Each structure stands twice: as C-alpha cells, then as structure tokens.
Amino acid sequence: MSGNKAVAYMGPGKVEVRTTEYPTFVLKDGPGVNPANVGRKTPHGVILKSVATNICGSDQHMVRGRTTAPEGLVLGHEITGEVVETGPDVEFIKVGDLCSVPFNISCGRCRNCKEGKTGICLNVNPDRPGSAYGYVDMGGWVGGQAEYVMVPYADWNLLRFPDKDRAMAKILDLAMLSDIFPTGYHGCVTAGVTTGSTVYVAGAGPVGLAAATSAFLLGAAVVIVGDLNEQRLAQARSFGCETIDVSKGDPKDQIEQLLGEPEVDCGVDAVGFEARGHGGDSAREAPATVLNSLMDIVRAGGALGIPGLYVTGDPGAVDDAAKVGSLSIRLGLGWAKSHAFYTGQCPVMRYNRALMMAILNDRVSIAKNVNATPIPIDQAPQGYQEFDEGAARKYVLDPHGMISG
C-alpha cells in the first residue's frame, strides 16, 4: 500500500490529517525519530489496521506547545487494531487477531521488562528508559492515530482479544485498555485503594474518571473527584462519585463537609504539570498545586498515586524552574506524614489482561464512565479543539468506520 492517513502535530494549537508512508518493518527518519533508531529493523513487529485510536490528554500537552515536540510528529499512543501483516520473527500473533496495544513500548528482554517494569524498558529508546508511540523524546516510534501502524515486539506487547465478535461488541470499552484504564487503575493501586477506602482523585479528565472507576472496582467506599470543569464533574457524578469544584476553595474544606473529616485514605493526581491553583487562584497556572494539596489531605501513612504527567522540559512553563521540571513541592510535609509517592508511566501489561476480563464479563463500564465518543479520523482536529476546550468526552478516532454507535 502506498499511503496512510495520519494525525500530525503541526505547531502549537494545530493538528492536521495528512497522508504519510505506509508502515514497514524498518524505522525510517522523520519528525521526532531518534537518530540512533533510524534503520532499526523490527522483524518481531506487526502492521496493525487501526480499529480505534484515542486522543489523550498527554497528546494535548504537545499540541498546546508545552513540550519540545517537532512539527510533523505523527501523534497517538492509544491503539487498538487488527493484525494485517506479521514480521518474519513473529511466532504467536496471527493475521486477523484483534489486539490492544500498551502505550508503553517494551522489548520483553531487558532487566526492567523481566521485572514487570515495562514503562521503563531499557532497549527501545536510545536516550532514556521508557518509550511510547507518537510522543516527544520517546525514541521516535511512529504514532498510531493513523489508518495503519507498526507495533514492535508483537508477541510480547500485544494483548489479543480471545473472541473478535465479542470484542467488537465492547470495542469502545476495550479501546481504553491501551492507556487510560490501566493508568487510572495503577494510580489507585499505588495509592493503596482497597475495600472501604476514601479516595480523592484530582482531575476529572479521562484519566481521572478512569481512576475513579478503578477505585470503585477496587472496593472504595467513597470516591471524591475534584476539578474546575462542571461538565466533567457532572460526568463523575453520573457513576456515583462525590465531586468538589476546586475553584470554590481548598479541597480540604470541601472534603470535610463530605466526610466529616478533612482527610482521605488515598490520593490520586490525574492532573500533572499543567495544574492550576485553587480557590481565587484557579485562573493561574501553578504546577505544584495538586501535589501539595494531596500531601495536605491524605492521611498520615497514606500514599499518593501520581499517574498525571510531569515533564523534564516545558517551554511554556510559568517560571524558569518549572521549564526543567523543578517544582516547589512541600516535601517536608510529605516526609512528616510518612507518605509514599508513586510516579512514572503505568506498566500497562501489569493490568490490561485482568481489566479486559472485567470488561468482557460486564464488571465495569469504562466507556460509559469516560463518555467515549467515536469520530472519523478526518474530524481529529475538531476533536482536539473540543477536548482542549474542556469537553467531557474521551474522543476515539475511527479510521476505518469499524466502530458502531
């Protein structure tokens, strides 16, 4: 095949649907590709026909111009697709298989992969541990917001759905397995959510709503979601969450009104480095706000799960320190309360099969809870714009018109 329609970042605030090269089993030079990866052969890979490929809040950081992403970078790390071609070294994955793709690329061979730390694989990014499709400084693996995408180390990376017809009937739910559902779940697991927990989730975007869903799945007694966006808070309330509008004041005071005490057992940061202040400061960006707030409201001995993205380079940051990822966090408070902090990429493979089983057996409705909304790939620029404006939706690109509803 000669062409491949894909969504590309074209500068701050601008994405375009362009025709790019059809993927092959050799990494070629292009926007964002690490020079050390150019010419890298991937006989262990497959070509996927994208069935569902989602717009993520992490993509929005790049599109807003808040990273060093180069123009022309093909976006997209949340991929679900059908195998249409296999490399010569692929043994178990077959043409026709419908699979979920973990957003973090891992080799399955290095020390970290063997320890289950697939978010920080040592072999896929020449610059640092960890990699992802279509993301700045992640090795230059081409993104999956496209009609077709190459997935390396396929026997290791791909989660094959056991029954294609059954999977297609729940494809919007299963499309969340590539990133936000495991990421939200990881945030809750690392925060210590268990039966009877009281949980505060900062952020009612798709990852925050996935974390809230996960908290209930893990047995939480009360899940409180905080945000500035009333539409997104209403979406959280639609499946049983309590909510607080952080523009109206300190979360601690509002939590006390809900629980009768100003602390929770567990805290999840689903906001990241573009956080805003609380109360009267809610119009001002203050990147350490959520971390400091969580240390204030999580009980002594509790934990903070931090799936929200923090970066080492932010050209649009509010000050020089934040431009290199240095934030004024109250570490002394966290130390005094013996808090545990868990950061970094979610190791998707640790959770995705179990969450797939929960979906297929009707134990969770993640697509409903995050308001998953399929759109044609040609509408990607509109989807990015609406999401950036605060739409309470999780946009799912449908490159081949295979998603019903």
Side-chain angles (χ1 to χ4, degrees):
M1 296 181 68
S2 59
N4 181 27
K5 192 179 290 186
V7 181
Y9 167 70
M10 299 305 297
K14 187 177 182 181
V15 297
E16 289 182 1
V17 180
R18 318 183 88 193
T19 298
T20 63
E21 288 190 35
Y22 187 81
T24 68
F25 296 116
V26 178
L27 288 188
K28 299 179 180 179
D29 198 7
V33 177
N34 191 300
N37 264 348
V38 174
R40 185 170 182 168
K41 297 179 180 180
T42 57
H44 42 68
V46 301
I47 309 298
L48 285 186
K49 177 182 180 180
S50 296
V51 174
T53 176
N54 315 333
I55 295 175
C56 181
S58 297
D59 298 321
Q60 287 286 16
H61 295 307
M62 290 187 289
V63 172
R64 292 186 190 118
R66 298 299 297 267
T67 72
T68 56
E71 293 184 11
L73 180 74
V74 174
L75 300 166
H77 56 270
E78 300 189 15
I79 310 161
T80 307
E82 180 183 1
V83 178
V84 294
E85 186 178 352
T86 62
D89 290 353
V90 177
E91 185 175 0
F92 303 111
I93 294 293
K94 306 299 182 185
V95 170
D97 285 346
L98 186 61
C99 303
S100 178
V101 184
F103 79 89
N104 26 38
I105 303 167
S106 56
C107 71
R109 296 153 166 79
C110 71
R111 173 181 177 176
N112 283 350
C113 285
K114 289 178 179 180
E115 292 177 356
K117 301 171 183 175
T118 55
I120 44 174
C121 173
L122 301 174
N123 288 331
V124 287
N125 184 351
D127 285 342
R128 66 182 68 150
S131 192
Y133 304 89
Y135 212 84
V136 60
D137 295 334
M138 286 291 189
W141 300 86
V142 178
Q145 285 176 17
E147 293 177 304
Y148 298 91
V149 62
M150 192 278 293
V151 173
Y153 304 103
D155 282 328
W156 166 255
N157 278 307
L158 291 178
L159 173 67
R160 185 180 66 85
F161 300 139
D163 183 280
K164 184 181 288 188
D165 291 338
R166 188 180 177 196
M168 285 302 299
K170 290 183 175 290
I171 193 63
L172 282 179
D173 293 281
L174 294 170
M176 303 303 124
L177 291 174
S178 57
D179 183 353
I180 67 165
F181 196 10
T183 292
Y185 194 86
H186 180 63
C188 288
V189 168
T190 54
V193 178
T194 187
T195 305
S197 297
T198 57
V199 184
Y200 177 65
V201 178
V207 170
L209 296 174
T213 300
S214 300
F216 284 126
L217 194 59
L218 288 163
V222 182
V223 179
I224 304 168
V225 178
D227 203 289
L228 303 161
N229 183 319
E230 176 50 36
Q231 284 187 321
R232 291 180 171 182
L233 291 174
Q235 186 65 29
R237 289 193 293 272
S238 74
F239 59 95
C241 300
E242 301 287 346
T243 61
I244 60 175
D245 183 343
V246 297
S247 71
K248 295 180 179 178
D250 193 317
K252 190 171 187 177
D253 298 332
Q254 298 180 65
I255 287 171
E256 186 168 20
Q257 293 174 16
L258 289 169
L259 298 179
E261 56 183 359
E263 292 186 325
V264 293
D265 297 323
C266 315
V268 179
D269 175 2
V271 177
F273 73 103
E274 287 194 69
R276 296 189 176 274
H278 294 155
D281 290 333
S282 59
R284 179 179 61 88
E285 187 169 306
T289 298
V290 171
L291 294 172
N292 288 330
S293 175
L294 286 176
M295 283 186 277
D296 195 31
I297 62 181
V298 171
R299 68 176 180 85
L304 280 60
I306 309 173
L309 176 67
Y310 289 87
V311 295
T312 57
D314 176 9
V318 294
D319 56 47
D320 288 341
K323 287 180 180 179
V324 293
S326 180
L327 309 182
S328 298
I329 64 171
R330 298 181 62 192
L331 186 59
L333 175 61
W335 190 93
K337 296 177 76 173
S338 294
H339 282 158
F341 296 74
Y342 292 88
T343 66
Q345 288 187 30
C346 164
V348 170
M349 294 173 67
R350 189 177 299 174
Y351 308 108
N352 61 354
R353 186 186 183 280
L355 294 176
M356 175 188 74
M357 294 301 292
I359 289 169
L360 292 176
N361 290 283
D362 299 320
R363 295 295 180 242
V364 66
S365 300
I366 183 64
K368 172 180 173 290
N369 290 2
V370 301
N371 197 13
T373 304
I375 60 174
I377 193 170
D378 289 332
Q379 293 181 18
Q382 179 183 344
Y384 268 97
Q385 180 179 348
E386 292 177 2
F387 188 38
D388 192 48
E389 291 170 351
R393 297 178 181 274
K394 175 68 173 177
Y395 286 106
V396 179
L397 304 183
D398 182 10
H400 296 278
M402 298 176 70
I403 304 174
S404 61

